[in-house]
Amino acid sequence: MSTEHPPTIDPVAAARWHAAAPAQSPWLHEEVARRMDDRLQWIRHVPAAWCHWDAVRGGLQGHALVSARYPQALCQVTETSPHCLPVAMQALTRPWWSPARWSAGRPRFGLPEDGSVQMLWANMALHMASDPQALIAQWHRALAVDGYLMFSCLGPDTVKELHAVYAALGWPPAGQSFTDMHDWGDMLVHAGFAEPVMDMERIRLTFATPQRLLQELAELGCNLHPQRFPALRGRHWRSRLHEVLQDKLGDPEHDGQLALTFEIIYGHAYKPKPRVRVSASSAVSLQDMRAMLREGGDRS
């Protein structure tokens, strides 16, 4: 596994998208959140506190599902895009007169302290990160020992039909390449997670018109490939794109509607107890030292 940043993501473009992405929960993100919530039924460990990472883009309906599953758990909402924070606060903060406002499930906002949550929930964020390993390491620090990560992202087969259209016309790539689930598993282990479980499924979506298809894609993300079109193309190019999409992506099984494939990757991993390698000189963080001392006390 390479330790470099994703070679087909332009970091500047990724930062611009992160700062300006629509402050809303796309339909596909909500559907993936619902499916990821279904997977929680197989996890016996109930978190005392959990963190929702980038809740607005990840899915506010999905947030409600997880909150309902763990009504007594403290909730930390982390919005890394400043323009999404007021949307999250308005949507998730209950009015002062609501009895639920004083329950354990009342959300808090901001970055979680190191080792403060037993579950970190990150839906459909990782594939747009220019430095995913740094992001995974940040999630690892936020989790307590024996806490677990639940995440989802797009996989390599996403919009493969659109990539084929662009390639056939000799155009630059339609988008960046998405990481394979096995590489995500390797990154989790490299960051200090244990027992990563990766799963994948493909969702096929249909669209009535090329305009609706492009609108949906614009809500989901943007082209971060360094070799993407360097400038605006104009009306004639867009008209040509509409014609090609209608011709190449029409699915006879769905009355000629345009069809695209989305590969969804689901990941789950635990944060194990820290281990210290014996050497002439070893450095141990204060957090890890406390965890080891607690472990030693539990055995006595």
Side-chain angles (χ1 to χ4, degrees):
M1 179 197 69
S2 173
T3 59
E4 299 177 356
H5 295 183
T8 64
I9 289 185
D10 178 351
V12 175
R16 287 175 179 170
W17 165 257
H18 190 67
Q24 62 188 41
S25 307
W27 177 89
L28 181 60
H29 291 195
E30 295 285 15
E31 175 61 21
V32 173
R34 184 187 65 78
R35 299 183 184 205
M36 191 159 69
D37 174 73
D38 286 341
R39 286 163 164 77
L40 289 176
Q41 65 181 304
W42 308 112
I43 299 178
R44 297 181 179 179
H45 179 64
V46 176
W50 67 286
C51 174
H52 192 169
W53 195 272
D54 285 335
V56 172
R57 292 291 301 166
L60 294 173
Q61 295 175 28
H63 179 93
L65 292 174
V66 180
S67 295
R69 185 179 293 275
Y70 304 125
Q72 299 304 315
L74 294 171
C75 177
Q76 184 82 25
V77 176
T78 300
E79 288 293 346
T80 58
S81 296
H83 71 292
C84 287
L85 179 58
V87 177
M89 295 182 70
Q90 182 178 6
L92 302 178
T93 302
R94 299 179 177 93
W96 66 268
W97 44 260
S98 172
R101 177 181 175 88
W102 310 107
S103 69
R106 181 166 56 96
R108 302 174 181 176
F109 297 89
L111 288 170
E113 295 182 1
D114 290 356
S116 63
V117 296
Q118 288 75 44
M119 182 184 77
L120 193 145
W121 175 278
N123 186 45
M124 298 291 276
L126 198 51
H127 57 268
M128 298 296 286
S130 62
D131 192 349
Q133 294 184 79
L135 183 55
I136 292 173
Q138 195 172 9
W139 294 344
H140 184 272
R141 289 193 299 272
L143 284 167
V145 171
D146 291 333
Y148 58 95
L149 169 68
M150 295 286 294
F151 77 92
S152 63
C153 61
L154 294 177
D157 278 349
T158 298
V159 297
K160 60 182 180 180
E161 301 88 351
L162 188 63
H163 285 282
V165 168
Y166 271 54
L169 293 173
W171 292 347
Q176 69 269 28
S177 299
F178 295 123
T179 301
D180 182 83
M181 67 176 181
H182 302 292
D183 289 332
W184 287 129
D186 291 343
M187 291 186 206
L188 290 170
V189 173
H190 184 264
F193 283 98
E195 302 180 24
V197 177
M198 309 302 299
D199 188 17
M200 179 273 290
E201 67 175 335
R202 294 181 179 88
I203 300 176
R204 190 170 175 82
L205 300 183
T206 57
F207 307 88
T209 65
Q211 292 85 346
R212 182 67 191 105
L213 181 150
L214 294 174
Q215 178 186 350
E216 185 92 2
L217 292 181
E219 294 170 357
L220 292 174
C222 66
N223 188 347
L224 302 180
H225 201 291
Q227 298 175 9
R228 64 193 183 279
F229 277 113
L232 298 176
R233 269 77 69 196
R235 295 179 181 177
H236 294 296
W237 179 88
R238 180 166 287 272
S239 298
R240 171 62 173 155
L241 175 61
H242 290 171
E243 293 174 0
V244 173
L245 293 179
Q246 188 68 58
D247 179 53
K248 299 297 184 181
L249 301 187
D251 189 343
E253 296 182 0
H254 294 87
D255 299 324
Q257 293 198 70
L258 286 65
L260 282 179
T261 300
F262 291 84
E263 179 181 335
I264 310 299
I265 293 174
Y266 303 92
H268 168 74
Y270 284 90
K271 179 177 180 176
K273 294 179 175 63
R275 296 181 180 179
V276 179
R277 295 180 181 178
V278 177
S279 61
S281 177
S282 300
V284 184
S285 70
L286 180 60
Q287 177 188 346
D288 289 348
M289 178 63 73
R290 288 172 176 168
M292 288 185 289
L293 290 174
R294 285 196 298 268
E295 181 186 359
D298 291 342
R299 288 198 299 264
S300 60

